[in-house]
Amino acid sequence: MRSVPEGEGAHPPDETAAAQAPGAAADSPPASAAAAAAEPAPPPPDDANDLRGHYFKQLIGSGKTWALILVPSVVIAAVLAAFLHPLIGAAALVGLVLLGVVIAFVIADNRAADAFFSLYAAQRDLQLGGKGPLPPLTPLLRKGDDRYAERTLSGHLGDGCDGTLALFTYEEEHTDSNGNRETNYYHYTLALTAVPECVSRVPELYCQRKFGLRALEKLEDVFRRSKQRVKLESEALDEKYEIFSAKDQDAVWLRQLFSPTFIVWLSDEAPPKFAFELVDGNLCCYVNGHKEDAADLDALRSATTSVARRLREEANE
């Protein structure tokens, strides 16, 4: 959801305090200070929704918000009532007011997300970026008719691992039999980092989540011209992942890479729906959906660091 420019969110003046005599006002704290003391600051957010109620309450309590909702609603409703029917005007008034409240909620949701990601970036010393392209380094980053990161967090991801955390979206456009165009959106949270040490050892490696029927695997492999399926002696891993490498990849080295410890980590400890792609030393680790929770983002950063460390360890032996 794209960010909406921030509008005025302050509460209207306290009329009771404003009506006090000058002498009484001198003996009492200013209205703004009293209001700030009465309403404690919200706790630091753990996810993008924590502050949504706070910002929504701010907007709904603002006189400017209601002016922006009511003035055009009343004008449009009056025109419809005069030229069509009073009931149509009344229905339009109710509908437009409800639409205005929904828009205020969307604005509050965007402000809450902005506040969460700003705090997350500051706490972890990451640089926050907005919507923009990502380099097409792996197959996931080349998918779709259009592709972009909606937010990026760049810097230190973990021990010995620098890179970019991103909320990534790619779009696919389709045209139905009636000529109507439709766009499907696919959302991922991913982490990009470089592992140049392993380029000569493993130029391509894909560890994907398994889907589809196992009986069709051999048929699918017939059509894979440049890749080969990697089979390891782990039923747990085989149930969750499909692993592919380049056709000329050293099978012995791959078996050493997928050590028993690494297999257990992938099977039992990696984040849900975790997968990764490695192409020419560019590692892209990802999970489905846009994660807007500190724990989920930290888990992906940690998982990316673990995969990069394992690749470096085996490449340097």
Side-chain angles (χ1 to χ4, degrees):
M1 193 173 293
R2 295 176 175 83
S3 298
V4 179
E6 187 167 327
E8 180 178 339
H11 291 287
D14 189 333
E15 295 178 0
T16 304
Q20 287 180 341
D27 297 332
S28 303
S32 58
E39 183 179 348
D46 290 323
D47 62 57
N49 295 328
D50 278 358
L51 293 178
R52 187 166 54 191
H54 169 76
Y55 285 111
F56 184 64
K57 181 180 177 183
Q58 240 185 27
L59 287 170
I60 290 301
S62 169
K64 183 177 180 179
T65 299
W66 284 109
L68 291 172
I69 293 174
L70 291 176
V71 171
S73 299
V74 170
V75 171
I76 294 172
V79 171
L80 292 175
F83 287 94
L84 296 178
H85 195 279
L87 288 178
I88 295 177
L93 178 61
V94 173
L96 290 169
V97 170
L98 289 176
L99 177 62
V101 173
V102 170
I103 292 173
F105 183 83
V106 172
I107 293 173
D109 185 70
N110 284 330
R111 289 186 183 179
D114 289 342
F116 163 72
F117 279 102
S118 295
L119 179 63
Y120 183 88
Q123 288 178 335
R124 289 153 178 82
D125 197 23
L126 297 169
Q127 183 177 358
L128 178 63
K131 184 176 179 180
L134 292 177
L137 300 174
T138 71
L140 176 62
L141 300 175
R142 294 191 287 266
K143 282 189 174 182
D145 299 299
D146 192 17
R147 62 209 66 82
Y148 45 84
E150 299 193 16
R151 296 180 191 270
T152 59
L153 295 150
S154 302
H156 188 62
L157 301 181
D159 185 21
C161 183
D162 293 337
T164 298
L165 197 64
L167 303 186
F168 176 71
T169 298
Y170 74 84
E171 303 176 6
E172 287 185 347
E173 294 186 355
H174 305 278
T175 303
D176 62 21
S177 57
N178 297 321
N180 299 316
R181 296 190 67 81
E182 179 182 289
T183 302
N184 294 326
Y185 299 85
Y186 301 89
H187 304 297
Y188 295 87
T189 303
L190 60 83
L192 273 174
T193 189
V195 194
E197 299 92 334
C198 65
V199 174
S200 61
R201 291 287 197 173
V202 55
E204 288 183 79
L205 182 62
Y206 308 95
C207 188
Q208 304 170 350
R209 299 299 302 191
K210 176 164 285 188
F211 64 93
L213 299 175
R214 184 175 297 187
L216 298 177
E217 287 182 358
K218 291 184 178 180
L219 180 61
E220 292 173 353
D221 291 346
V222 172
F223 297 95
R224 300 183 193 276
R225 297 181 179 178
S226 61
K227 300 179 183 65
Q228 64 181 358
R229 185 182 297 272
V230 178
K231 280 292 189 180
L232 300 165
E233 296 174 358
S234 170
E235 189 67 25
L237 187 70
D238 193 50
E239 287 178 357
K240 290 187 176 182
Y241 293 97
E242 291 184 305
I243 303 173
F244 300 95
S245 70
K247 286 273 188 181
D248 56 352
Q249 175 63 49
D250 182 354
V252 174
W253 190 90
L254 275 181
R255 287 183 176 275
Q256 293 172 347
L257 173 68
F258 286 91
S259 64
T261 304
F262 191 42
I263 288 175
V264 169
W265 179 85
L266 280 170
S267 303
D268 301 335
E269 300 176 28
K273 306 298 184 183
F274 175 78
F276 68 84
E277 300 175 340
L278 177 70
V279 180
D280 294 331
N282 299 297
L283 176 64
C284 176
C285 299
Y286 58 93
V287 292
N288 289 341
H290 284 172
K291 302 302 180 184
E292 298 184 331
D293 179 276
D296 290 335
L297 294 172
D298 285 344
L300 181 57
R301 290 171 57 219
S302 177
T304 303
T305 301
S306 296
V307 176
R309 183 190 304 117
R310 180 68 196 122
L311 287 165
R312 288 193 181 99
E313 287 173 352
E314 196 60 39
N316 292 328
E317 282 192 1

